[in-house]
Amino acid sequence: SFIATSNSKGHLGLLAMGLRVSNIDTAYENLLKKAGMSTSPEDIWSDKGQELRLRALELTNKQKEIYIKGRLGVIIDGTGKDYAEIKKQVDMLRTLGYAVHMIFVNTDLETALERNRMRPRSLADDLVTKMWKDVQKNIGKFQGLFRNRMIVIDNSKGSDIEASTLEAYKDIKTWAAKAPENSIAVKWIKGQKK
């Protein structure tokens, strides 16, 4: 999530461009906190924890609908493990006139496991490994879906994340400054001005 929120040291800082974030994790962690629960595996996998997760998904989807109805720029933050769901969202957004991009932040498996272990809401190594493999299988599909609008950032331990995010930031900032070109978006904007 630092890719979206930070603008220091060359990080993307996409929020400073007026983009909105849709991320179930934010809503879920807030609901857990309000319920007096933690991000421990015991609380997360409890009946109440799973009930709150479903509520967080509902809230996140409603928030995303509001953003999209207003044709606001939106960052849909996720893991990339479910290609079919991402393609469904991309297709829907494109029919509304959105120009859709993907910023794919990748790590090697060792880095993913190490960082997961340091998170307050960590998952079992075998689950992280399965998710990582599922995401890796989708890279080629994502490249086909997004074509020249896919940016890959290597965030593995030892990579030059500063240079990668600065380059990505420049690309996205240039694109975001342009007026919409999609005929559906142009028509919608004209309709809103009337």
Side-chain angles (χ1 to χ4, degrees), residues 13-50:
L14 300 178
L15 297 183
M17 294 180 202
L19 301 175
R20 308 302 197 279
V21 176
S22 175
N23 182 348
I24 186 175
D25 289 344
T26 305
Y28 187 37
E29 289 171 8
N30 286 338
L31 289 174
L32 284 169
K33 185 176 179 180
K34 284 181 184 178
M37 298 174 74
S38 72
T39 56
S40 70
E42 296 79 23
D43 282 351
I44 288 172
W45 295 108
S46 69
D47 289 343
K48 179 69 174 175
Q50 290 303 295

Side-chain angles (χ1 to χ4, degrees), residues 8-112:
S8 64
K9 299 183 182 177
H11 296 165
L12 284 183
L14 300 178
L15 297 183
M17 294 180 202
L19 301 175
R20 308 302 197 279
V21 176
S22 175
N23 182 348
I24 186 175
D25 289 344
T26 305
Y28 187 37
E29 289 171 8
N30 286 338
L31 289 174
L32 284 169
K33 185 176 179 180
K34 284 181 184 178
M37 298 174 74
S38 72
T39 56
S40 70
E42 296 79 23
D43 282 351
I44 288 172
W45 295 108
S46 69
D47 289 343
K48 179 69 174 175
Q50 290 303 295
E51 178 186 318
L52 291 174
R53 188 178 190 293
L54 291 174
R55 177 71 179 133
L57 179 60
E58 183 182 311
L59 290 170
T60 303
N61 285 337
K62 284 182 181 178
Q63 182 184 54
K64 185 169 44 176
E65 285 176 30
I66 292 167
Y67 294 159
I68 291 169
K69 186 175 181 181
R71 300 305 193 271
L72 300 174
V74 63
I75 300 166
I76 301 173
D77 192 346
T79 63
K81 65 182 167 63
D82 188 346
Y83 174 79
E85 179 59 30
I86 291 171
K87 183 176 184 330
K88 182 176 142 186
Q89 289 183 60
V90 166
D91 291 345
M92 180 270 299
L93 290 167
R94 285 179 174 161
T95 63
L96 295 173
Y98 274 89
V100 183
H101 291 63
M102 175 176 260
I103 300 172
F104 188 93
V105 181
N106 201 13
T107 66
D108 56 43
L109 179 57
E110 182 181 319
T111 301

Side-chain angles (χ1 to χ4, degrees), residues 130-144:
K130 182 189 179 320
M131 290 172 63
W132 182 88
K133 287 179 180 178
D134 290 344
V135 171
Q136 297 305 306
K137 289 178 192 173
N138 289 333
I139 293 175
K141 293 178 193 175
F142 290 143
Q143 288 170 330

